Amino acid sequence: MSRAQATTAIPEREQWTGQFGFIMAAVGSAIGLGNIWRFPGVAYESGGGAFLIPYLVALLTAGIPILFLDYAIGHRFRGSAPLALRRLGGKLGEGIGWFQVTIAALIALYYAGVLAWAGSYFVFSFGEQWGDDPTAFFTGEYLQASDGAATPITFDFVPGVLIPLVLMWVVTLVILGAGVVKGVQRANVIIIPLLVVAFGVLVVRALFLPGAAEGLNAFFTPDFAALADPAVWVAAYGQIFFSLSVAFGIMITYASYRKRRSNLTGAGLVVAFGNSSFEILAGIGVFSTIGFFAFQQGIEIDQLEGLSGVGLAFMTFPAIVSEMPGGGWAGALFFGTLTLAGLTSLISILEVVIAAIRDKFGLSRGQAVGAIGVLAVISIVLLGTTSGLIALDTIDQWTNNVGIVASAIVMTIIVIWVKRKGGELSRHLSAVSTFRVGGLWVFFTGLLAPVVLVYMLVAKIMDLVSNGYGGYATWYLGVAGWGSIVLAVIAAIVLPLVTWRRDPDAFEAWPSNAQLHGKGARR
């Protein structure tokens, strides 16, 4: 098929202005809530300083290889997750693409809720409005959370949550509606430097608090005996996997907006190590403040609770702020950075959905953004009520620990083993990049990473089936938890049967290495 025919069939894709814009967007996607509230707790519970060993191994053998895989698929086949994987692997590939899109849509539903909470707490920080009991304030006065065991679903709206939730959706949709360059790229170019500077200031302040040294000792002191525990290694792979935004369509979509001459692996290394550096910075800041809190309480750090996740952000940290000299501005910095980090990640998650429905149904960007307004309505109904915390907790557990892991396993098997595209993608990465990949990359991507991920997935499913989750009713876990996975599977089966608005195969793969660097090569 000629290039003219291909251009007629598929309009030219939007493109980043260059390497810097792409890196800022990719870093913005990778740096999110998990970097700030998940990594420090996981590291502390998994051997402290010794955890950095399996963490680095996981980064090199699974995180970066699968990140490169996403980049190669998106760039070579120039499409959203369903379109690129359709071009690579037919309807089978398209199915896993729609599975990823559905998982991204489900994550967006609750991610916006956390942004609303963080935005509210940014305002609360100036007067330390959580009072003397931040835990009771968060679950009681602010969320007005229902009893998860008795009433897991309610339609009692909470104005204090509903209003910031609506505002977060409006801001996000406006940025997405502006386009890849004027919206997504511009937002990340502004937000990421601001985020790093603000969080850096917060970390420096934390380092000078009484007890900070004890906190850092707890965080970094190595427990090498922990390295003999398989669970520690699984935790390392899990943290790397979840924090890099791989295997649920984001990096495939972002790579599809890159120009022909794009240094994919070089940018990937910057993104991967930049993300990990921020995680370590977050660990330093969080545990410096936790050391101060333990010092103020006159107890050991291991006696504290709520050192990760929602508990750390909205219960423990406000209590710490109340003890700090000038704590209000420190709280504002913390919740401001939490909001910014979450916003850039939410933008990337929703771009997966927008790109997919644009490619499939031939919609304009404005029409696609309008269509995902449905997600905003569902999110507001789920997270704006007294049962919002329960919905968030449940959907997050299944989409992250079952959905994304399953997606990565199936995608790597289809690409490397079923369609035998490992060599082609390896050559493509090497042709456009300064850092070349080869057989070792194919081995990590197609064998080592899937084996570790299968172990993680089986262990998690067995745990959820045997023990349930959070004390919630079995029927509710079936609807909100397992139902989320079933919905993604249905999308993977049904949507490939829907006719494409434009011919998905009307494209030409990027040229070979010789053509790319020859005199006739054009962008």
Side-chain angles (χ1 to χ4, degrees):
M1 180 174 290
S2 69
R3 185 174 297 278
Q5 288 175 307
T7 304
T8 302
I10 300 291
E12 192 71 23
R13 292 188 75 76
E14 295 178 85
Q15 292 184 338
W16 310 110
T17 56
Q19 183 87 317
F20 180 74
F22 168 73
I23 288 175
M24 285 294 100
V27 168
S29 175
I31 294 178
L33 303 175
N35 298 69
I36 298 174
W37 75 24
R38 188 176 190 272
F39 173 77
V42 171
Y44 172 67
E45 295 169 358
S46 304
F51 178 74
L52 296 179
I53 296 173
Y55 178 83
L56 182 60
V57 171
L59 175 66
L60 296 176
T61 61
I64 291 175
I66 295 182
L67 181 67
F68 285 178
L69 178 66
D70 277 352
Y71 282 3
I73 293 170
H75 188 250
R76 182 161 183 78
F77 296 101
R78 301 200 302 284
S80 59
L83 178 58
L85 288 165
R86 164 65 182 253
R87 289 169 170 172
L88 180 150
K91 289 188 176 180
L92 182 63
E94 183 185 345
I96 189 58
W98 285 113
F99 184 92
Q100 294 180 351
V101 170
T102 307
I103 292 298
L106 290 166
I107 292 173
L109 295 180
Y110 69 79
Y111 215 91
V114 181
L115 285 187
W117 301 351
S120 296
Y121 268 68
F122 171 77
V123 177
F124 295 160
S125 295
F126 293 101
E128 298 179 22
Q129 295 177 30
W130 45 75
D132 296 329
D133 191 347
T135 298
F137 175 84
F138 177 63
T139 58
E141 186 175 341
Y142 178 60
L143 293 182
Q144 300 175 28
S146 62
D147 183 348
T151 52
I153 299 177
T154 72
F155 293 99
D156 300 323
F157 288 97
V158 182
V161 176
L162 185 66
I163 294 171
L165 181 57
V166 171
L167 290 175
M168 287 299 171
W169 272 106
V170 170
V171 169
T172 303
L173 294 179
V174 167
I175 292 172
L176 288 166
V180 167
V181 173
K182 294 183 178 180
V184 179
Q185 178 176 304
R186 182 174 294 173
N188 280 281
V189 166
I190 295 170
I191 289 173
I192 294 305
L194 179 62
L195 168 64
V196 172
V197 170
F199 201 79
V201 170
L202 185 62
V203 170
V204 171
R205 175 69 184 94
L207 287 172
F208 289 94
L209 291 171
E214 286 70 22
L216 293 178
N217 285 337
F219 180 57
F220 282 113
T221 299
D223 175 14
F224 291 109
L227 299 182
D229 183 359
V232 169
W233 290 84
V234 170
Y237 277 87
Q239 177 61 32
I240 284 293
F241 191 71
F242 298 138
S243 69
L244 275 180
S245 297
V246 294
F248 62 111
I250 293 176
M251 293 307 172
I252 290 178
T253 303
Y254 273 15
S256 76
Y257 298 141
R258 299 220 61 184
K259 297 178 180 179
R260 177 186 299 180
R261 297 189 181 189
S262 297
N263 185 356
L264 295 179
T265 58
L269 293 175
V270 171
V271 171
F273 286 107
N275 174 70
S276 294
S277 298
F278 190 89
E279 287 195 320
I280 294 173
L281 181 67
I284 292 171
V286 167
F287 270 85
S288 294
T289 56
I290 287 174
F292 163 76
F293 191 48
F295 175 81
Q296 291 293 100
Q297 302 294 315
I299 60 176
E300 297 298 323
I301 290 175
D302 59 11
Q303 294 177 272
L304 294 174
E305 297 180 354
L307 299 185
S308 65
V310 172
L312 171 66
F314 298 103
M315 300 176 194
T316 303
F317 200 82
I320 296 172
V321 167
S322 296
E323 299 280 348
M324 292 172 63
W329 69 264
L333 275 177
F334 177 78
F335 289 109
T337 55
L338 201 63
T339 304
L340 293 175
L343 178 60
T344 54
S345 294
L346 179 61
I347 289 169
S348 68
I349 292 166
L350 287 169
E351 184 63 28
V352 173
V353 185
I354 289 172
I357 60 177
R358 288 191 70 192
D359 286 344
K360 184 75 174 183
F361 302 105
L363 303 180
S364 67
R365 175 165 286 272
Q367 290 172 325
V369 171
I372 66 169
V374 175
L375 289 179
V377 173
I378 296 172
S379 173
I380 291 166
V381 171
L382 280 177
L383 276 298
T385 65
T386 56
S387 58
L389 178 60
I390 303 165
L392 181 151
D393 191 26
T394 307
I395 298 173
D396 173 66
Q397 182 68 208
W398 264 262
T399 53
N400 273 289
N401 295 299
V402 178
I404 295 178
V405 177
S407 166
I409 295 168
V410 175
M411 182 176 72
T412 54
I413 290 174
I414 289 175
V415 173
I416 304 297
W417 297 105
V418 177
K419 297 300 178 179
R420 301 284 182 174
K421 294 290 185 177
E424 177 183 337
L425 295 175
S426 173
R427 289 189 293 274
H428 178 78
L429 285 170
S430 296
V432 299
S433 305
T434 53
F435 178 80
R436 296 173 180 270
V437 300
L440 188 61
W441 172 75
V442 176
F443 168 75
F444 285 149
T445 306
L447 186 60
L448 181 61
V451 167
V452 174
L453 294 175
V454 166
Y455 180 87
M456 289 172 54
L457 181 62
V458 171
K460 175 54 67 173
I461 290 176
M462 290 176 62
D463 177 56
L464 292 172
V465 170
S466 301
N467 304 317
Y469 180 70
Y472 304 139
T474 302
W475 70 265
Y476 179 75
L477 297 179
V479 173
W482 296 111
S484 298
I485 304 303
V486 170
L487 180 63
V489 171
I490 291 173
I493 296 172
V494 173
L495 286 172
L497 303 177
V498 177
T499 303
W500 287 81
R501 177 66 176 80
R502 302 184 180 96
D503 182 5
D505 298 316
F507 88 111
E508 293 179 5
W510 290 136
S512 68
N513 192 27
Q515 293 172 310
L516 185 66
H517 298 290
K519 293 182 179 180
R522 296 177 296 173
R523 287 179 181 261

